[in-house]
Amino acid sequence: MTVAEDVYASGRGLQLSVRIFGWFMLVAVPLYFFNNYLTFVLGWPGVGVIFKSDVGGANSWIQLSLYIAGLVFAIVYVMRTSERHLRDEAKAITKFNTFLVRAAFWAVLLVGLADMAISFLRVEGLLSAVVGDQLTSDLGRPQFRGTMVHIPLMVLSIILALRTKTLGFQWLALLVVMAELAIVITRFIFSYEQAFMGDLVRFWYAALFLFASAYTLVEEGHVRVDVFYAGFKTKTKGFVNAVGTLFLGITMCWTILLVGMGNKAAIIYSPLSNFEVTQSGFGLYVKYLMAGFLAVFAVTMLIQFVSYLMEAVADYEEQPGHEDHEPPVTAG
């Protein structure tokens, strides 16, 4: 084998390894959520007890085998599409992630408006006249409102995300300002303010901050604290970005998911499973969704970091197609 052939084989092996790793990360996310369902809802023992002789059993091995199957799927898929370029793969992954973020923005918009309307009618004593006494009582229960109002609106949001092409976070930022302005006007001019008004601002602002992070990563909009990076060559930048993505970005996302959803009392899983709400009387019933924002943040950032990793390795391999972004804000 000549030197050129050896270099080519080495580069091809790196690209295939990165694609396999990336796709396994993507497949592992839904498998992790499904395993949590098996463990926390159906009472399966989980993967972590396999090495404990007094617990576990066949179900634990089944749960572990799901991850093994995910790895096999990643390997088979990558090998069957071995000619696919890293940049093409990265763009496809980013496109899917854009859809997820778009659906999340539609969800917080629709849920926020619907919950605000319900809370306003409740606090003003008008809800019974609109929907009747029984439904008014039901809407006062978090589990009912979450199941019968919020979840259908989330499904509708997915449909809308399929039909629209804009991310929508610019409009959400405008809505945050309008909601805050409404509080100022009603408080200081009409001496009127209710708990749901402040809840709506926090609900939308939290979504704006967390859901836009993946998009900001694509656009190189995050603040990059560095001294030397701006002067690096593209190949060196690719190496730095790949290492940072592997050991900082992807690790951070999995840490959020493992800590936040690792047990029934975890800070993400517990509010979601119990439809947790605030104690502010007639406020919005969305506290559990705000806990879920952390999971959405971790998942969308993880997906985008996988895309970013592939782009970084493509830069390191000096493959054609590199796109220069506007220089990020730097400090230091």
Side-chain angles (χ1 to χ4, degrees):
M1 180 181 293
T2 65
V3 174
E5 290 173 335
D6 186 57
V7 171
Y8 173 78
S10 176
R12 181 175 173 81
L14 175 61
Q15 294 171 42
L16 292 177
S17 298
V18 168
R19 289 187 61 212
I20 290 172
F21 173 80
W23 274 102
F24 177 60
M25 289 293 98
L26 299 180
V27 173
V29 172
L31 291 178
Y32 176 70
F33 289 139
F34 181 64
N35 261 334
N36 275 3
Y37 171 79
L38 294 177
T39 303
F40 302 142
V41 178
L42 300 186
W44 287 35
V47 176
V49 301
I50 285 179
F51 302 103
K52 299 179 181 179
S53 59
D54 55 332
V55 281
N59 287 347
S60 294
W61 286 100
I62 292 175
Q63 289 181 269
L64 177 61
S65 69
L66 293 176
Y67 292 111
I68 297 175
L71 177 58
V72 172
F73 167 81
I75 294 173
V76 171
Y77 170 76
V78 170
M79 290 305 175
R80 297 184 69 174
T81 58
S82 59
E83 299 303 319
R84 191 178 177 95
H85 294 290
L86 284 173
R87 296 196 195 279
D88 294 334
E89 196 91 293
K91 289 179 181 177
I93 293 171
T94 295
K95 184 177 180 180
F96 174 73
N97 202 32
T98 302
F99 160 73
L100 290 182
V101 175
R102 188 163 59 238
F105 277 121
W106 275 109
V108 296
L109 171 63
L110 297 180
V111 170
L113 292 176
D115 223 68
M116 179 190 68
I118 294 172
S119 295
F120 172 75
L121 292 174
R122 283 188 71 208
V123 75
E124 297 300 331
L126 302 173
L127 191 59
S128 296
V130 176
V131 300
D133 293 335
Q134 181 59 49
L135 189 53
T136 297
S137 176
D138 290 337
L139 288 172
R141 295 186 291 110
Q143 291 82 358
F144 181 88
R145 196 186 298 195
T147 304
M148 304 306 295
V149 177
H150 296 169
I151 292 179
L153 288 176
M154 293 177 198
V155 175
L156 176 60
S157 300
I158 295 174
I159 298 173
L160 290 173
L162 290 170
R163 304 286 297 179
T164 60
K165 297 302 180 183
T166 176
L167 276 176
F169 68 87
Q170 296 94 338
W171 294 104
L172 189 57
L174 177 62
L175 289 172
V176 171
V177 174
M178 293 176 62
E180 190 65 57
L181 180 62
I183 293 177
V184 173
I185 293 175
T186 55
R187 177 192 294 174
F188 293 103
I189 297 180
F190 302 103
S191 298
Y192 179 88
E193 184 179 4
Q194 298 295 341
F196 68 81
M197 301 172 71
D199 288 347
L200 183 63
V201 172
R202 288 187 288 273
F203 181 62
W204 279 347
Y205 182 77
L208 177 65
F209 179 79
L210 292 173
F211 296 172
S213 295
Y215 173 80
T216 308
L217 179 64
V218 177
E219 298 298 318
E220 291 278 8
H222 288 285
V223 175
R224 186 190 293 275
V225 181
D226 72 83
V227 177
F228 306 107
Y229 179 86
F232 287 162
K233 295 180 179 179
T234 299
K235 181 181 180 71
T236 308
K237 286 182 178 180
F239 176 79
V240 172
N241 288 333
V243 172
T245 298
L246 278 172
F247 295 102
L248 298 177
I250 292 177
T251 302
M252 177 198 71
C253 295
W254 275 112
T255 298
I256 293 174
L257 292 175
L258 293 173
V259 172
M261 305 191 71
N263 57 71
K264 288 186 176 182
I267 58 174
I268 297 177
Y269 180 82
S270 179
L272 286 174
S273 62
N274 295 304
F275 291 93
E276 184 176 324
V277 298
T278 62
Q279 302 301 316
S280 56
F282 293 99
L284 299 187
Y285 282 19
V286 296
K287 184 178 179 180
Y288 76 99
L289 290 176
M290 294 176 72
F293 287 176
L294 290 173
V296 175
F297 166 79
V299 170
T300 54
M301 286 294 284
L302 176 61
I303 295 172
Q304 200 55 53
F305 273 127
V306 169
S307 173
Y308 201 60
L309 174 64
M310 293 181 181
E311 284 281 0
V313 173
D315 288 342
Y316 176 75
E317 292 290 311
E318 298 182 309
Q319 296 181 359
H322 172 76
E323 296 180 5
D324 290 321
H325 296 280
E326 290 295 321
V329 179
T330 59

